[in-house]
Amino acid sequence: MRIVVLTGAGISAESGVPTFRDADGLWEGHSVDDVATPEGFERDPDLVQRFYDARRRAVASVVPNAAHHALARLERAFGDELLVVTQNVDDLHERAGTRNLVHMHGELQRALCAACGARPVWDADLEPRPPCPVCGERMLRPDVVWFGEMPYDLDRIEDAVVACDVFASIGTSGSVYPAAGYVALASACGAWTVELNLEPSDALIPFDDARAGWAGELVPAWVDELVTARG
Ligand code: APR
């Protein structure tokens, strides 16, 4: 049984990582335009570097929660039949043990070199403008996909969504495309669709199974059902 799980900020909320839209549109005191667009980076690169440096340090100080661990357990049971597609830039899925994972909006734990395109693993601050380990230029930025930029691995994601038998959406408001369109694509291709979210998202089509609650409770229970049914 092929499963695609799409996750958003809500799966990391119980680990202490702030979501985007629960903060009244302000993202830790900043407007999205200032810290999540190429124009904002152009306007004030130091502000943007400091913002992501702070988020990178904050994520290093929190741990995966029961929902992340449940998805790692699901991968141990289903192997390559499972793909986790996350909109999150934290590394909590990896730290819980998930391997079949796509970060469609990039990763705080990588930098992107604007000079040579390298995407080195990165855990230090970028504000001091360190040299790129590949080309030496001091043009590293966070490897985070900003609004107006192309998300990563879209072909691989769409192939998996089209082919899956079960599509689950966990902890996402379903307000940013292309991620928000995957449930409709999966459903049109015959998949059973499940939403595990604090409140019903504004998805265009209804999920076959929509469960409201905390990811830390809903996800382990849902994984138990799948693993038990698999025998
Ligand atoms: N358990 C389950 N769901 C939760 C929890 C929780 N503990 N806490 C919050 N949620 C839900 C909220 O109800 C909301 O529907 O998670 C969702 C979080 O939505 P957003 O804050 O919009 O985050 P997300 O959907 O991941 O945003 C998508 O938008 O800002 C861009 O690139 C950014 O990747 C991000 C994208």
Side-chain angles (χ1 to χ4, degrees), residues 87-103:
Q87 301 171 88
N88 299 338
V89 294
D90 64 54
D91 63 345
L92 295 177
H93 282 303
E94 295 91 323
R95 285 161 57 191
T98 291
R99 293 291 168 267
N100 299 338
L101 175 65
V102 173
H103 277 277

Side-chain angles (χ1 to χ4, degrees), residues 31 44 65 84 87 115 122 157 180 183 190-191 222:
S31 89
D44 191 343
N65 64 58
V84 176
Q87 301 171 88
W122 199 267
I157 297 168
V183 58
W222 178 66

Side-chain angles (χ1 to χ4, degrees), residues 127-188:
E127 190 194 2
R129 298 301 192 282
C132 169
V134 174
C135 74
E137 291 295 326
R138 293 180 182 275
M139 294 178 68
L140 292 172
R141 54 163 273 192
D143 187 22
V144 170
V145 177
W146 288 326
F147 286 99
E149 295 184 325
M150 182 64 74
Y152 288 118
D153 296 315
L154 293 184
D155 291 343
R156 177 183 177 195
I157 297 168
E158 282 187 21
D159 289 349
V161 170
V162 165
C164 76
D165 304 296
V166 174
F167 177 85
S169 178
I170 301 174
T172 180
S173 60
S175 53
V176 172
Y177 284 82
Y182 289 147
V183 58
L185 177 60
S187 182

Side-chain angles (χ1 to χ4, degrees), residues 6-227:
L6 172 69
T7 66
I11 199 170
S12 297
E14 288 157 80
S15 294
V17 180
T19 63
F20 302 95
R21 287 165 188 81
D22 295 344
D24 315 318
L26 272 189
W27 196 5
E28 295 177 37
H30 296 285
S31 89
V32 168
D33 281 346
D34 290 341
V35 295
T37 62
E39 296 76 18
F41 185 61
E42 188 76 27
R43 248 191 332 267
D44 191 343
D46 285 346
L47 167 77
V48 175
Q49 297 285 23
R50 279 197 304 275
F51 177 76
Y52 287 96
D53 288 349
R55 289 188 65 211
R56 189 178 303 106
R57 287 195 296 271
V59 166
S61 67
V62 301
V63 295
N65 64 58
H68 298 106
H69 288 297
L71 291 182
R73 176 165 165 247
L74 189 63
E75 182 175 304
R76 288 193 293 276
F78 283 84
D80 290 340
E81 293 171 59
L82 170 67
L83 177 67
V84 176
V85 178
T86 189
Q87 301 171 88
N88 299 338
V89 294
D90 64 54
D91 63 345
L92 295 177
H93 282 303
E94 295 91 323
R95 285 161 57 191
T98 291
R99 293 291 168 267
N100 299 338
L101 175 65
V102 173
H103 277 277
M104 65 183 295
H105 291 168
E107 302 171 60
L108 280 172
Q109 267 63 34
R110 281 188 189 278
L112 172 63
C113 179
C116 73
R119 296 177 60 202
V121 173
W122 199 267
D123 59 8
D125 285 357
L126 289 171
E127 190 194 2
R129 298 301 192 282
C132 169
V134 174
C135 74
E137 291 295 326
R138 293 180 182 275
M139 294 178 68
L140 292 172
R141 54 163 273 192
D143 187 22
V144 170
V145 177
W146 288 326
F147 286 99
E149 295 184 325
M150 182 64 74
Y152 288 118
D153 296 315
L154 293 184
D155 291 343
R156 177 183 177 195
I157 297 168
E158 282 187 21
D159 289 349
V161 170
V162 165
C164 76
D165 304 296
V166 174
F167 177 85
S169 178
I170 301 174
T172 180
S173 60
S175 53
V176 172
Y177 284 82
Y182 289 147
V183 58
L185 177 60
S187 182
C189 294
W192 177 261
T193 60
V194 181
E195 180 173 61
L196 308 176
N197 206 59
L198 199 54
E199 65 224 2
S201 64
D202 43 15
L204 291 180
I205 59 145
F207 285 85
D208 295 311
D209 178 0
R211 305 181 191 180
W214 298 102
E217 291 166 16
L218 291 178
V219 181
W222 178 66
V223 167
D224 282 347
E225 290 169 20
L226 288 181
V227 172

